[in-house]
Structure formats: C-alpha cells, structure tokens
Amino acid sequence: MIDSYKHKGMRHKLAEAIRDKGITDERIIEAINKIPRHLFMDSSFEKFAYSDVPFPIGSGQTISQPYTVAVQTELLEVKKGDKILEIGTGSGYQACVLLEMGAKVYSIERQRNLFDKTRLLLPSLGYNPKMFYGDGYKGLPAFAPFDKVIVTAGAIEVPEDVLKQLQVGGIMVIPVGNEKTQKMIRIKKISENEFDKSENGNFAFVPFLKDKVR
Ligand code: SAH
C-alpha cells in the first residue's frame, strides 16, 4: 500500500476542488487532503481515486463522491468528541473523515464481504471506528444516544428507531427520496418530539435496504 508524492499531489488538488465547490469547514478540506482515498478502492482504478466522482467498490456498492462526503460532513457540524452513528460503512472513507475531525464513530454495514474488507483495511491505515455488521434501519440501541447520525445510503423514509437514538440537540443527515434521486435532509432534534428539518440539494446514493441483512 503505497502513498506516493504523486498521490499526495493529486489529493491536494482534490481538496482544493472541494473548497472551490463551496465547502468552508477547513477541517474537512484537511481530512480530504490527508486520507489516502486510493487505498479504499481496487488498485487498478487508482487513477479515479482523486477525481471528484463516486466509484464502484464491489458488491454493487460505491465509495461516495468526495464532494458528497464533504456536504454531509459539513451539515453534521462535527465537534471534537461527538459520538456519531454512521449507517452504511461501505469503503470506510466517510468514517475516516469523521475520525480525522476528532469524532467517535460507530458504523454499521449490512454487506458481509464489504464489512469484512473494511474492518481489516481501516486499522491498517490507523483508523479505528467501532464497526458493526447488521441492519442500520434499527440503529444501535445498545450504544444510544448519539450526538449525530449520518446515513450514507438513499432512504425512502427516515427510520423512526434511529431518530429515537439521536440526542436532544443532535443532528441527523440523511438522503431521502426514491431509487434514482434523494434530497439531503438535515434534521435537528429540538426536543423528544420536535424536529427542525431542512433540505440541502439533490444527490444519488445506492439504496438504504430494509430487513435484508445477508
Ligand atoms: N459511507 C460509504 C459509502 C457507502 S455506500 C463510504 O464512505 O464509502 C452505502 C452503503 O450502505 C453500502 O455499503 C450498503 O451496503 C450500505 N447499506 C445499505 N442498506 C443498509 C442497511 N440497512 N444497514 C447498513 N448498511 C446498509
């Protein structure tokens, strides 16, 4: 696993491109500048790693587009020490961005082979989120409440169980829509039953699957 000057140079350009697209939280730009994204994909596709595009990572899943990762992360208003639930570990890249910002990350993945691969990769790069194999629709009740929740697959609805696991004052970011396109929804929990919702642009994610752990 090599991280060369060439990789670092391309990564720097990617980080600048993300800033140019309007991301203002410098900690996110720094994380993108630091994390070796090419190591999260098959080495034969290395040349795509530092373009601002999503990419297949096997099992019909994708590593999210860096800009999308940046938008979701910015909407979460990550603070050092935040306890964050991520649903859809995938390649683990998003989890690493949150770790770089000083968050404690709990991440769930429902695809066994992806889960196994990412569980080995992240510690080898020095990243140690808590990783769980299971159905994110139910969240992680044993570890609730969470300060923040990020869903990185396209949902048709906001999972109620997960919303319950969000701390009052906490923020959940989730793409909600149909199979083709979703609106990025940010939900702030004002009290146990009061929520502030905002829409933050259109995105296209792989589906958030319900009751289908395999
Ligand atoms: N955050 C990832 C992108 C993930 S793509 C990254 O940075 O690379 C979406 C992921 O959500 C896929 O890996 C998919 O298997 C997973 N997923 C879909 N439905 C899920 C569910 N119900 N529970 C947990 N993971 C789910």
Side-chain angles (χ1 to χ4, degrees):
M1 295 204 292
I2 296 163
D3 189 26
S4 67
Y5 280 110
K6 194 174 149 220
H7 293 127
K8 290 190 174 101
M10 291 192 292
R11 198 148 71 230
H12 182 68
K13 280 198 186 131
L14 172 65
E16 293 303 316
I18 298 299
R19 184 192 281 117
D20 290 347
K21 287 183 180 175
I23 299 297
T24 57
D25 188 336
E26 279 303 316
R27 299 170 307 159
I28 299 174
I29 309 294
E30 266 170 45
I32 290 172
N33 201 8
K34 184 162 174 203
I35 303 167
R37 190 169 185 262
H38 65 286
L39 300 179
F40 292 71
M41 355 201 311
D42 195 284
S43 57
S44 48
F45 301 126
E46 217 185 81
K47 57 177 185 287
F48 299 103
Y50 296 111
S51 301
D52 190 18
V53 292
F55 209 80
I57 50 172
S59 315
Q61 303 306 323
T62 57
I63 177 169
S64 298
Q65 180 177 349
Y67 176 68
T68 304
V69 171
V71 167
Q72 285 201 280
T73 307
E74 192 152 74
L75 288 171
L76 271 185
E77 295 179 12
V78 179
K79 292 194 188 67
K80 212 171 173 190
D82 269 356
K83 185 176 162 190
I84 303 182
L85 171 63
E86 178 192 29
I87 300 176
T89 316
S91 70
Y93 182 78
Q94 170 77 68
C96 293
V97 170
L98 300 173
L99 289 168
E100 280 290 346
M101 296 172 82
K104 285 179 251 156
V105 181
Y106 295 68
S107 190
I108 319 180
E109 173 57 53
R110 61 167 284 281
Q111 287 255 3
R112 187 88 228 185
N113 46 357
L114 257 182
F115 172 77
D116 288 340
K117 206 166 137 188
T118 303
R119 188 167 51 166
L120 288 180
L121 175 74
L122 296 195
S124 77
L125 299 174
Y127 294 107
N128 292 291
K130 296 197 183 353
M131 289 181 259
F132 302 83
Y133 169 68
D135 181 7
Y137 243 94
K138 301 181 182 72
L140 276 181
F143 296 89
F146 295 95
D147 299 307
K148 310 280 164 68
V149 176
I150 175 170
V151 178
T152 66
I156 45 170
E157 61 187 4
V158 176
E160 282 302 317
D161 285 352
V162 179
L163 209 48
K164 282 193 200 118
Q165 295 167 30
L166 186 64
Q167 187 103 269
V168 170
I171 295 171
M172 175 167 174
V173 175
I174 176 171
V176 182
N178 58 32
E179 269 174 32
K180 280 201 185 125
T181 164
Q182 304 91 32
K183 288 196 190 320
M184 192 62 77
I185 307 292
R186 179 185 189 269
I187 303 171
K188 190 156 186 182
K189 191 163 178 172
I190 308 295
S191 72
E192 271 318 320
N193 326 301
E194 278 174 292
F195 300 92
D196 238 13
K197 277 193 191 183
S198 67
E199 287 183 9
N200 304 271
N202 292 311
F203 293 84
F205 283 80
V206 295
F208 183 13
L209 299 167
K210 203 173 174 178
D211 300 328
K212 273 198 189 164
V213 172
R214 61 174 180 208

